[in-house]
Amino acid sequence: MRRGRARYDHDVLVVGAGIVGLSTAYALTRARPGVRVAVLEKEAGPARHQTGRNSGVIHSGVYYRPGSLKARFAVRGAQEMVKFCAEYGVPHEVTGKLIVATERSELPRLHALAQRGRENGIPVRELGPAQITEYEPYVRGLAAIRVGTTGICDFRAVADRLADLVTAAGAELRYGAAVTAVDRREGIGVAVRLSDGSVLRARALVNCAGLFADRLALLSGDDPPARIVPFRGEYYELAEERAELVRGLVYPVPDPAFPFLGVHLTRGIDGGVHLGPNAVPAAAREGYDWRTASADDLARTMAWPGVWRLARRHWRYGAGEIHRSLSRAAFTRAVGRLLPAIRVEDLRPAPAGVRAQAVLRDGTLVDDFLISEAPHTVHVLNAPSPAATASLPIGREVAGRVLAGL
């Protein structure tokens, strides 16, 4: 590659057409009209993995450490996502949610969570048992907090709308375009080879590859501080005739060590009630059931020292999650802490998702969004939930970093 605009096929290549990649492309085209952007996606369409397989919750930001990217981007992103959905006709609803303590040992954590929410600028109301039943007649708990800014939407529809807006702004979306090699030359730019053998040259590359973000970083010549460990989130759906048991969104008090664990109850935008997820290690990056395994994915996962350190530290949690995965009765008991009227026969299997969780070498789960920069490259290395909620601010943040280097 040589310097000079004429030698580049595009200004920016965005790898990954999930909601974060599409939001980044959207932000690039809005911030600098005329910038030449291409979004490269290995699947046949957008939002086929984390974006299209989550619970559809617009998160408020109540859980996240004040000042963190998650806290700032989730609070701002929730407001922007509701506005985006209203403007472009995407199904959504601001429902609010309850976070319910069912044991006395959870009460201090519930109070701390209410305080954290207020520090993040989120209106929080504390409830007693009688007030809980006013919102959710079948839910039982010792105390709860109500977070009024939580909502639900169809994130796959959001991604589809972003794809339309990006193409209308002149960007190119290429599906079936897996990146197989990256050649980066400092001071010049990047070239990528695609699965069909074609080569594209650009001034910058944005890595929004989700479950494969660490691998793309390695392909680019960088050594990211974390590796993606896939956790499958498994869901059930309430039988239609029992859906009246849940009116809205009900969450347990999270464990600070694993805030993404804990079975919750979600009435989605389609009216169905989802229960879950639990979280079990997946035997493939796209392992949506126990039958799906990849020897290469497993070998890469097991080769990362952080996985063994994580397992040694938290094997009891993992064993409990696997037990609930294999036993519908155990899963029902977990739900029953919040919803005593639930029965095993009320549950119907629902599609699973896989969380792309970054794990550091010392076994620490990366708690915040992780975005790193290298010459001509920006890597989004950790963007699990609430990334869909926060996708518009994330996209602007990434686009700003890219444009600063062009």
Side-chain angles (χ1 to χ4, degrees):
M1 297 185 296
R2 298 178 182 176
R3 289 185 180 274
R5 185 178 176 90
R7 300 297 299 170
Y8 299 106
D9 301 297
H10 301 279
D11 294 312
V12 183
L13 299 175
V14 178
V15 180
I19 197 168
V20 172
L22 290 168
S23 294
T24 299
Y26 176 64
L28 285 166
T29 58
R30 285 169 64 90
R32 190 173 295 182
V35 68
R36 298 178 300 166
V37 178
V39 180
L40 309 177
E41 170 56 51
K42 68 183 180 65
E43 303 293 355
R48 297 297 173 89
H49 295 288
Q50 290 186 104
T51 301
R53 288 176 169 267
N54 64 36
S55 60
V57 175
I58 302 174
H59 292 282
S60 63
V62 70
Y63 297 117
Y64 313 118
R65 177 174 51 81
S68 65
L69 290 179
K70 278 189 176 182
R72 292 189 288 115
F73 288 176
V75 173
R76 192 183 314 155
Q79 298 168 350
E80 293 182 17
M81 186 57 65
V82 170
K83 182 179 178 181
F84 182 93
C85 290
E87 182 175 355
Y88 292 107
V90 176
H92 71 289
E93 184 179 354
V94 179
T95 60
K97 76 173 178 182
L98 299 183
I99 304 173
V100 180
T102 58
E103 299 177 5
R104 285 197 170 278
S105 61
E106 295 174 336
L107 294 176
R109 280 188 277 142
L110 183 70
H111 179 73
L113 197 59
Q115 183 60 32
R116 172 170 283 193
R118 294 184 182 108
E119 289 177 24
N120 286 336
I122 300 164
V124 173
R125 181 186 173 204
E126 298 185 64
L127 309 177
Q131 294 165 307
I132 292 173
T133 57
E134 290 177 12
Y135 287 102
E136 293 286 350
Y138 296 97
V139 170
R140 296 294 178 266
L142 300 177
I145 59 176
R146 175 166 169 77
V147 186
T149 53
T150 303
I152 52 175
C153 76
D154 183 344
F155 283 120
R156 178 169 282 189
V158 172
D160 288 340
R161 195 69 186 97
L162 284 169
D164 293 340
L165 292 168
V166 164
T167 54
E172 178 184 357
L173 266 65
R174 293 185 62 166
Y175 299 119
V179 174
T180 60
V182 179
D183 179 19
R184 183 176 61 197
R185 306 288 176 88
E186 190 164 354
I188 301 176
V190 295
V192 302
R193 179 178 293 112
L194 303 180
S195 49
D196 64 3
S198 62
V199 174
L200 296 177
R201 297 168 177 84
R203 300 169 70 191
L205 174 74
V206 178
N207 172 8
C208 295
L211 286 158
F212 296 91
D214 56 341
R215 292 195 194 174
L216 185 59
L218 290 165
L219 269 184
S220 303
D222 296 316
D223 184 14
R227 296 292 185 272
I228 296 297
V229 177
F231 287 90
R232 184 171 59 255
E234 298 169 333
Y235 291 88
Y236 286 95
E237 189 170 14
L238 269 182
E240 188 175 349
E241 64 274 14
R242 297 283 281 173
E244 79 280 355
L245 292 176
V246 180
R247 288 181 175 178
L249 310 180
V250 184
Y251 281 64
V253 178
D255 187 316
F258 291 95
F260 62 90
L261 294 186
V263 172
H264 53 265
L265 322 175
T266 306
R267 180 174 286 275
I269 200 67
D270 61 356
V273 177
H274 283 79
L275 314 173
N278 65 337
V280 297
R285 298 264 174 139
E286 296 169 359
Y288 295 111
D289 54 49
W290 282 105
R291 298 183 301 275
T292 303
S294 163
D296 181 53
D297 287 352
L298 276 172
R300 289 172 183 257
T301 296
M302 295 306 187
W304 183 240
V307 169
W308 297 100
R309 291 165 180 154
L310 177 68
R312 281 197 300 270
R313 200 175 302 154
H314 299 297
W315 65 269
R316 284 187 177 86
Y317 280 98
E321 293 294 308
I322 291 170
H323 179 53
R324 282 186 287 277
S325 172
L326 299 176
S327 168
R328 189 175 300 197
F331 189 96
T332 304
R333 285 194 295 273
V335 176
R337 293 181 58 208
L338 293 168
L339 195 66
I342 195 73
R343 306 170 308 199
V344 172
E345 55 267 29
D346 297 332
L347 305 186
R348 305 286 184 271
V354 175
R355 177 188 179 94
Q357 176 63 55
V359 177
L360 299 175
R361 181 175 288 274
D362 67 0
T364 302
L365 299 173
V366 178
D367 184 51
D368 204 358
F369 297 139
L370 178 60
I371 304 170
S372 70
E373 297 176 59
H376 308 288
T377 312
V378 177
H379 301 291
V380 181
L381 296 171
N382 192 60
S385 179
T389 296
S391 55
L392 294 171
I394 293 173
R396 284 198 305 276
E397 173 70 20
V398 174
R401 297 190 190 196
V402 174
L403 293 174
L406 289 185

